[in-house]
Amino acid sequence: MIQRYYKVRKFDDPDALAQLRLIQRFGFPELRELRFEQVLRTEGTDEAGVRKLLPYFCNPVNEQAAVASLLNPDCGPIREVSYRRAMAERQLETIMHCANALGVSELVYARFATRYQFTGVDNRQADEIIARFFCNTTTQQVMAPGTEWDTLIPQGELGDVEHIDIAQMTDEQLLELSKTRKLKMDLAPLQALQHFFKVEEPGVARDGDIHAYAALTSNHCAHTTWEALGLMKRLKRATARINHGRVLSAYVDNAGGFLFYGGQAICIKGETHIHPTFFGDPFCGTMTEFGGLLRDIMGMGQGGRPILTSTILATVDPKLPWEKLPKGFTHPLLVLQGNIRGTHGWNNPSGIPTGWSQYLVHPNNFKGVALGQAMGILPAKRVKKGTPRPGSFIVLAGDDTGNDGVGGATASSTSATFETSLIDAASVQHGEPIMQQALMEVTPILRDHDCIEAVNDCGAAGLTSSCYDLAQKIGCWINLAWVPLKCFAMRKWEILLSESQQRMVYCIRPEKLEEALAIFRTYGVKATVIGVFTHNKRFQAVYDRDVNQATWQTNPQAVMTGEVVANLPCSLFKRVPLPRIEVREPTEKPQPFTPPALSTAQDWANAIRQHLGHYNVADQSAAAQQFDGTVGGECKLHYLGQRNMPDELSARTPVLGKPWTIGAAVSVNQFGSQIDPAAFGRLMVAQAGAKLVAAGFNPANVFLCANVMSPEVRDHPENAWRLVQLVEGYAGATEVTRWPVISGKESGSCTCFGPDGTRYDAPLTLSIYAVSPMPHHHRLITKPFAHPGDHLVLFHPGLEQIHLGGSVYFDSFGQLGNALPILDLKEFRRGMSRYHRLLRQLNWSGNGTAITARSAVSEGGLIRRVFEQALGSGLGCSLQFNFHQSGDELASWLFGELHGSILFTIKPQAFQQATWTQGLQRRDYTVLGQVTQEPNLTVNCGGTNVFSTPINGLTANWSQTFREALAA
Amino acid sequence: MKPQVIIPWWRGTNCHRETKFKFEQAGARVDVVPIVTLREGKRRLSDTDLIVFAGGFSEGDYGWGAGCAAAIDLVYVLGDQLQEAVQRRIPIGGFCNGAQTMTATGLLPSGARFGTPAAVLDVNLSALFEHWVATKIVLHDCGNLWTRGLDGVELITPSAHHEGRLVCEEPTPVFDILGSYGTYDGDVTMSPNGSPIAGIGSPDKTRAWFMPHPERNGEVGLHIIRNGVDAVR
């Protein structure tokens, strides 16, 4: 017998009101009111029993509950959305516990659903709203009015293993197989698999064999594009050449690590999640991105603890008119909103601060950039990747396995089409951050109890990759019948491939198993033995319910009984045929551009106002304020300062009670790669590092994580050329700066096709995540101006020529230009060391603090930085240029993106002593002016005033652009 | 002997590290105790000098919302221990999700009977999660042990929540205001959630909660925490 209870809010409903406004803006202005009603269904209880559950279901202060719906049908169409019955209720564990606590022992199952009532629209419009905003059909369904299930318990059957005679197939049939099974495989790997079943182990393939091979040899898992172009080798070679003494782990684990202080190591990782964020589900895609980042940290060495994340999203302008959106594409506003919601939806409950957020636009970003980075900490002695031994148990811990997240690795390895959001929806994970947070808590405890021999995540390719990665030298055996499921209508290979960010695989020795399981239990984490590491060097998965788990655990062996789902030699996965990729330099060159001359003071003020209102450099605090950036209690420098002044880095002290500080800064850009990708790569390295050095971090200890997002290169030789140039550019730059790349992630899937076949290549994008340790947070130099009268100095070592190509300023005119700023990296490197010595001399030698503020110049140029420093301090500044007024030259100085340059202020007394200049090369700095008490921005050239404008007068566009876009 | 503090931990509790650290700085011995350990009776909630509920998203804030699932544990599984703690005047504090949990249990403000909420920390008026790095709270000394000597003192500290707007049942339950947003009288324009009230205390002066995070603050936040520890020293 199914019992029901309904509830609505008694008073206002801010959530419903926010959704109403969103839906009204998205094409349903006639919708006048939106009401939510929650439904609780129970099985096994009588009405008295379900009433006892009310303390869990209904807060009597602001909600009212009843056994019948509280919505008035006359007020408009009502639609009810619930999870499909094959899906387990995500709250089930909590509600069963609470039911027990409330004395409802007879409860068998419970489910929640939401009813939506729309006033002002008709039935057809209600259906459209539901489909667009409230129902993800992969896992949810709209309940037809009057229908009721006879049972709430998940129903469904596990499909049988299919056998496929791949050995006998023609090439056409192989390609058809790839298409129908969504393997996204090229012919060469298909033929390699065919050869295995034809020659090496003649026989018929199982569906598990094929899907496991497809996933593990996909571009996502095997980096086939980068391997084919030699880019992985190039990066590894650069890091090896640098041979930095602090690097503990690079290119061998889920993340890269370096030595911090007190025997601790810091690890870093970057992650792209482009496919599900742009074509699928922006919210779940972003949740997957952050879940993926954090589990990579947990899977580092013998288990790391995440401490910081960052997020970057590059879309088409969210104000894009709906009619200009190609059919089947997700509107950029929905991508932006979903991304912001997903970022706080994962990071906030996880208790991991978001230390940086940045949003960019470009007209080709229909499949743009969704990127995150994460940092973690673990004891240095635990940083090496663990090695399982035969006989160790495979323990699966965390969330139950479902049919979401199946095929994510393959789906994210290719271009998208207008149909992707429908066809590949099942590849999107439905995350549960609370379970991952429990895993984050328990993993370091298990590690410190010596329970973890090795650990890995169930991200891309699920159990397949987690177990294969650990077992590739010895082999493993898994019984899929022991995997706890949340969906009961799956095929067995799907259990093997199902991805989740809140499931981890732990390799645990038999003698530590009992202790480990007790720890898992104490922290509320479900953990199950699902197999064993073997010594037969095979990847084996069976489904056999008849194997008694308790008996088997006394003598764990591979038992090839029941249904065999996969049985392949581990060596097969290493034989990945690489694609042949043509590389060709583009014949079309970028064109020069001359912006309109600025002559009057008003021209300048207007130009600066417009410039500061560019989406990429505008105030983006409307997003940042939704992310908890201070959780953990270790925040020393938040990237959002007074009056929403954006900082350029975040800094934390990750060991509570210790002054040891870690700083993180990001550079990311989409313009420069279209002009000169190699030079662009160099500039991005310089920019990221300079942000840290400016704040006091030692240029001898900067470590990088590089993320490259490229459009498809396998069918586009010019895209391939740009990618190769870019990697050479930044790899070479790291060798000069001696800032090793120790981790990263590449994605070559930023291409999509509209229904008319139009190809959209997002611009080649590079993001450098720079991280550096500092012995004491007292050394941090802050950004806002400190005192009126302080002198402003622009330190620009290695800057040879200022060009406006690839700048935000040019983009405001819809132009790119044809030349990037030119930076001599060797001089830049020496300059960073000189600046650091200057800080030692003037700030850290015990004679007070002479350098009072800093900022590293990047996108938006010098004018953006002085504006931000003035805004954050409530002060102003006066800049003097020695040249006589020339619109061109002044615009170059103010709007030029002098990547690698540092703007700092110095107290008058120290400035006048002139000892500060002794360690610097004269050509490396320009004295620009002074900080003023009046909150004005004044610029003089050759002794003549060009313009003077109040800082407050410049904020209008700056503060509005992003907020307006978010509410477009 | 240092006073003993217990911080119960549910899945989703995520501010326990910094809370533990601050109470240790204030001179306490602190144990973060997983709720399973309490449920199984391996530790008793009342066998301590001080109880603190830390911030986070306890059990995902499933059920009707913030603090609900944790409150059911506290009322229906550990109720006798919690009532014993209240009767023994063991100081209890809560920050953010801890405040939500105390409200959901009816610990503060007190409901008509034990386990019945008399108020709710409702969704912010913006309907958004609001992280304010430097929220200004003006403290009130109403004799509550947690804010003793801090009347009129400004606490500038982060607040980070989606549900922090205090909405009370009628008639309004009795409690002391211990912290107001922006000004002594409270200024909703300086509030992240639409309520002028940032923290409240119990009439018996032993229990307090704050929606913002004193544990993420320096001296003033530590002063509040030290007050709690000193009261049982």
Side-chain angles (χ1 to χ4, degrees), chain B residues 18-33:
Chain B
E18 58 264 41
T19 305
K20 177 177 191 279
F21 176 69
K22 282 286 180 177
F23 276 88
E24 286 173 344
Q25 270 195 322
R29 287 176 294 130
V30 185
D31 287 332
V32 175
V33 184

Side-chain angles (χ1 to χ4, degrees), chain A residues 33 166 198 407 745 843 851 958:
Chain A
E33 192 177 354
I166 189 173
K198 195 184 258 182
K745 180 79 184 288
N843 279 37
I851 305 290
W958 176 78

Side-chain angles (χ1 to χ4, degrees), chain A residues 78 122 230 263 293 338 350 525 534 578 658 688 821 826 854 903:
Chain A
I78 297 169
D122 59 23
L293 281 165
S350 299
V525 176
T534 61
L578 297 177
K658 300 292 183 187
K826 287 182 181 169
R854 56 73 206 162
L903 182 66

Side-chain angles (χ1 to χ4, degrees), chain A residues 22-53:
Chain A
L22 177 75
I23 296 166
Q24 286 173 332
R25 284 198 301 269
F26 271 86
F28 299 93
E30 57 275 52
L31 181 67
R32 292 199 308 275
E33 192 177 354
L34 173 65
R35 297 194 80 198
F36 296 161
E37 184 179 54
Q38 304 290 322
V39 190
L40 168 68
R41 287 184 173 80
T42 62
E43 184 169 345
T45 60
D46 55 14
E47 192 184 329
V50 69
R51 206 176 310 123
K52 280 193 199 170
L53 278 173

Side-chain angles (χ1 to χ4, degrees), chain A residues 104-171:
Chain A
V104 192
S105 57
E106 66 276 22
L107 182 69
V108 173
Y109 212 90
R111 284 183 182 274
F112 293 91
T114 306
R115 289 158 63 83
Y116 303 90
Q117 182 165 44
F118 308 97
T119 304
V121 298
D122 59 23
N123 279 307
R124 185 188 57 77
Q125 290 170 307
D127 289 337
E128 279 185 32
I129 294 169
I130 282 287
R132 195 183 287 182
F133 296 98
F134 295 117
C135 184
N136 184 331
T137 53
T138 308
T139 53
Q140 292 175 303
Q141 65 180 32
V142 179
M143 298 282 282
T147 58
E148 284 294 340
W149 290 326
D150 53 356
T151 176
L152 303 177
I153 299 167
Q155 302 293 302
E157 287 184 11
L158 297 176
D160 292 333
V161 172
E162 291 178 69
H163 293 81
I164 298 149
D165 195 0
I166 189 173
Q168 305 304 320
M169 287 183 172
T170 64
D171 287 353

